[in-house]
Amino acid sequence: MFRATVLTLYPEMFPGALGLSLAGRALEAGSWTLDTVQIRDFATDRHRTVDDTPAGGGAGMVLRADILAKAIDHASPQGDGRPRLLMSPRGKPLNQERVRELAAGPGAVIVCGRFEGIDQRVIESRGLEEVSIGDFILSGGEPAALVLLDAVVRLLPGVMGNQISGEEESFENGLLEHPHYTRPQLFEDMPIPDILTSGNHAKIAAWRHERALELTAERRPDLIAARQPRQK
Ligand code: SAH
């Protein structure tokens, strides 16, 4: 079973959006588990301070190595087979391939940064894998952790009713998905493309593939370039 443990200064942010809909039902059904660890519980001073000024000067504060390391060792003791992730804009951008790998594994220990980030020595000594959700800066790692877990949980066995739709989606075949239509047949003078109501499944599949290729070439030429030669 997929077990997620999130280290955060804001445990109230969880399960948040993951307590609803598909992920929430799966959580209730016990298809995955979610625990939070309050990093502040590992502070030792009277004021429960977790951050300090950056060595070398500059703006902002940095999460202290000693406190965060204690929290990690508590959440993920030696022998815990789960990957330890640090949500970080410096990380490798998250993609569907990594999401699928994570979903196939035992779970994840996820560290959410705050302030300017965390002390580099924890990243190294605790083997944290930095994961980014895109080239922009959030105020904390929590929304990024929610994003990552949402993407993973929907792939867990039994979570998505319709497995096939998961396999046909954007990125699963290296392409963006074709456009969708549903009733009404006519919306503001715009009909559903004829082919989709023709009942000819081979032609529909070919049409969808063509649209997916077109859309991907236009919006994400990088995805086309990255495809295997036999897919082109
Ligand atoms: N000073 C840092 C940004 C800190 S933002 C820098 O310039 O790299 C505070 C925290 O938000 C980070 O520690 C990280 O946990 C989280 N965060 C911000 N942007 C993120 C992103 N794009 N992906 C994942 N986590 C992010």
Side-chain angles (χ1 to χ4, degrees):
M1 189 190 6
F2 188 90
R3 293 187 303 121
T5 302
V6 178
L7 286 78
T8 170
L9 289 170
Y10 297 95
E12 306 86 350
M13 290 192 188
F14 298 88
L18 299 177
L20 302 164
S21 188
L22 276 183
R25 279 199 293 278
L27 191 57
E28 261 171 47
S31 307
W32 67 293
T33 66
L34 175 60
D35 297 302
T36 54
V37 170
Q38 169 57 277
I39 297 167
R40 201 173 291 285
D41 288 348
F42 298 84
T44 47
D45 70 325
R46 214 159 54 83
H47 301 289
R48 303 220 299 160
T49 310
V50 292
D51 56 335
D52 212 328
T53 53
M61 300 294 272
V62 177
L63 260 165
R64 284 172 59 126
D66 51 351
I67 294 165
L68 187 54
K70 268 193 282 173
I72 293 171
D73 294 344
H74 167 84
S76 176
Q78 282 259 320
D80 181 0
R82 295 176 297 169
R84 296 172 177 164
L85 313 179
L86 168 66
M87 303 321 297
S88 159
R90 302 190 316 190
K92 187 173 173 204
L94 184 64
N95 59 25
Q96 193 62 16
E97 186 187 354
R98 185 72 184 112
V99 166
R100 238 183 285 124
E101 281 170 8
L102 288 168
V109 177
I110 305 177
V111 178
C112 299
R114 277 274 154 183
F115 323 117
E116 288 312 310
I118 77 173
D119 190 301
Q120 179 64 25
R121 293 169 292 180
V122 190
I123 301 178
E124 290 166 17
S125 68
R126 298 306 186 268
L128 302 185
E129 171 192 341
E130 294 182 69
V131 179
S132 168
I133 63 158
D135 292 343
F136 43 80
I137 305 294
L138 300 166
S139 54
E142 290 80 6
L146 290 168
V147 165
L148 181 143
L149 287 172
D150 182 282
V152 167
V153 166
R154 60 191 287 286
L155 297 184
L156 298 177
V159 171
M160 268 212 331
N162 185 352
Q163 288 293 337
I164 295 181
S165 89
E167 282 156 26
E168 285 180 351
E169 250 153 2
S170 289
F171 306 122
E172 291 292 356
N173 62 2
L175 294 176
L176 302 180
E177 204 183 36
H178 56 79
H180 298 286
Y181 298 87
T182 187
R183 279 180 285 273
Q185 158 62 23
L186 197 64
F187 169 68
E188 295 180 352
D189 295 337
M190 292 178 283
I192 293 175
D194 282 341
I195 190 117
L196 295 180
T197 47
S198 69
N200 185 329
H201 296 294
K203 277 196 172 163
I204 291 171
W207 182 91
R208 285 180 168 164
H209 186 66
E210 278 304 305
R211 297 292 82 71
L213 276 171
E214 250 173 39
L215 207 71
T216 311
E218 188 185 307
R219 297 184 184 177
R220 294 290 303 276
D222 59 304
L223 291 180
I224 300 279
R227 295 187 98 208
Q228 305 296 322
R230 60 175 179 78
Q231 290 182 295
K232 283 184 180 162

